[in-house]
């Protein structure tokens, strides 16, 4: 017989917090960041707005937590050990994972667009956290491999990361065909992934 789960204060609090975080995502995806007001979030969650202050300290802190939980690069915590190829395979894996993650996560697409459109402390924190994690990966794995060409490789990576962001945001709004490739089809997206592999391989062979 399955054990009955008791609905206690801690479990109830966690469920309510998740409802509020989900409400932020729903509003962001359907109405955009201008809809992230305390009354709208509470109404969407079906909860009293006082809980936003009780659990998070306010709307800004709630939104901050939502942003942190959905960002791809900010949630990379561990720097892998025993890398023998200078980070080539890891870089391919992470860039392709970013490409797929953003395609599936419409809320994250909105967060990136929001970051380009408005100055906000939580979005600045997002940028700082991404850079902090990226710097750890570069310093621990990549820089020693490329030596004097490390800055050039960082620039190549910057182009790839930003380009992959753009392709996903582009296909979500006003069209999906870019350079003749359909960014909504498996075939089109696989071509981009093969291009990622090719560019990283060329960088490791020729820099």
């Amino acid at each position: 017989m399955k054990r009955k789960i008791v609905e206690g204060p801690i479990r109830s609090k966690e469920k309510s917090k998740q409802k509020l975080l989900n409400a932020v995502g729903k509003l962001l995806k359907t109405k955009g960041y201008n809809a992230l007001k305390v009354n709208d979030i509470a109404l969407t969650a079906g909860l009293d707005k006082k809980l936003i202050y009780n659990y998070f300290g306010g709307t800004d802190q709630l939104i901050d937590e939502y942003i942190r939980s959905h960002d791809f690069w900010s949630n990379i915590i561990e720097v892998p050990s025993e890398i023998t190829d200078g980070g080539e395979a890891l870089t391919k894996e992470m860039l392709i994972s970013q490409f797929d993650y953003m395609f599936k996560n419409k809320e994250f697409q909105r967060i990136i667009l929001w970051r380009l459109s408005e100055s906000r402390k939580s979005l600045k924190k997002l940028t700082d956290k991404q850079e902090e994690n990226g710097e750890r990966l570069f310093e621990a794995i990549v820089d020693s491999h490329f030596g004097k060409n490390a800055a050039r490789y960082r620039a190549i990576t910057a182009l790839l990361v930003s380009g992959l962001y753009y392709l996903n945001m582009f296909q979500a709004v006003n069209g999906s065909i870019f350079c003749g490739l359909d960014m909504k089809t498996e075939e089109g997206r696989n071509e981009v992934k093969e291009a990622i592999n090719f560019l990283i391989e060329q960088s490791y062979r020729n820099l």
Side-chain angles (χ1 to χ4, degrees), residues 177-191:
I177 307 298
F178 199 93
C179 291
L181 300 174
D182 191 338
M183 292 299 110
K184 286 187 177 179
T185 67
E186 185 176 353
E187 292 78 10
R189 297 183 68 79
N190 282 340
E191 287 296 336

Side-chain angles (χ1 to χ4, degrees), residues 106-120:
K106 305 304 180 185
E107 295 94 333
F108 184 51
Q109 293 173 16
R110 293 280 187 156
I111 289 171
I112 297 301
L113 182 59
W114 190 9
R115 184 171 64 175
L116 296 172
S117 307
E118 182 178 307
S119 176
R120 182 184 175 88

Side-chain angles (χ1 to χ4, degrees), residues 15-193:
K15 287 178 66 176
S16 295
K17 287 179 69 175
Q18 192 57 55
K19 281 184 178 181
L20 291 166
L21 289 166
N22 291 344
V24 171
K26 183 176 181 179
L27 287 169
L28 193 60
K29 183 167 63 173
T30 59
K31 297 184 179 180
Y33 47 82
N34 289 325
L36 297 179
K37 304 293 190 297
V38 62
N39 289 331
D40 294 324
I41 294 172
L43 181 64
T44 301
L47 298 170
D48 191 318
K49 67 181 180 182
K50 291 179 182 178
L51 294 179
I52 294 175
Y53 300 96
N54 292 343
Y55 295 159
F56 298 94
T59 309
D60 285 346
Q61 293 89 331
L62 167 60
I63 295 171
D64 287 353
E65 184 164 334
Y66 176 84
I67 289 173
R68 282 195 302 271
S69 69
H70 276 72
D71 178 47
F72 177 81
W73 292 104
S74 297
N75 289 296
I76 297 171
I77 300 173
E78 298 295 330
V79 176
S81 58
E82 300 182 6
I83 297 292
T84 60
D85 62 354
E88 180 179 348
L90 177 65
T91 303
K92 292 177 182 177
E93 178 186 349
M94 294 183 72
L95 289 173
I96 290 172
S97 294
Q98 175 210 318
F99 188 50
D100 286 338
Y101 176 80
M102 191 173 181
F103 178 67
K104 297 172 184 175
N105 194 318
K106 305 304 180 185
E107 295 94 333
F108 184 51
Q109 293 173 16
R110 293 280 187 156
I111 289 171
I112 297 301
L113 182 59
W114 190 9
R115 184 171 64 175
L116 296 172
S117 307
E118 182 178 307
S119 176
R120 182 184 175 88
K121 287 183 179 179
S122 57
L123 297 170
K124 177 63 165 62
K125 289 178 185 176
L126 169 65
T127 301
D128 291 343
K129 185 63 176 177
Q130 288 177 334
E131 284 300 307
E132 177 186 326
N133 282 352
E135 190 64 26
R136 288 194 298 116
L137 292 171
F138 280 125
E139 289 183 351
I141 300 171
V142 174
D143 286 354
S144 60
H145 178 84
F146 285 101
K148 62 184 178 63
N149 290 320
R152 180 67 51 82
Y153 181 74
R154 286 178 178 234
I156 291 169
T157 305
L159 290 171
L160 287 171
V161 170
S162 58
L164 296 175
Y165 277 153
Y166 182 81
L167 287 175
N168 275 316
M169 289 188 291
F170 172 83
Q171 63 80 27
V173 185
N174 287 319
S176 61
I177 307 298
F178 199 93
C179 291
L181 300 174
D182 191 338
M183 292 299 110
K184 286 187 177 179
T185 67
E186 185 176 353
E187 292 78 10
R189 297 183 68 79
N190 282 340
E191 287 296 336
V192 173
K193 293 175 185 179

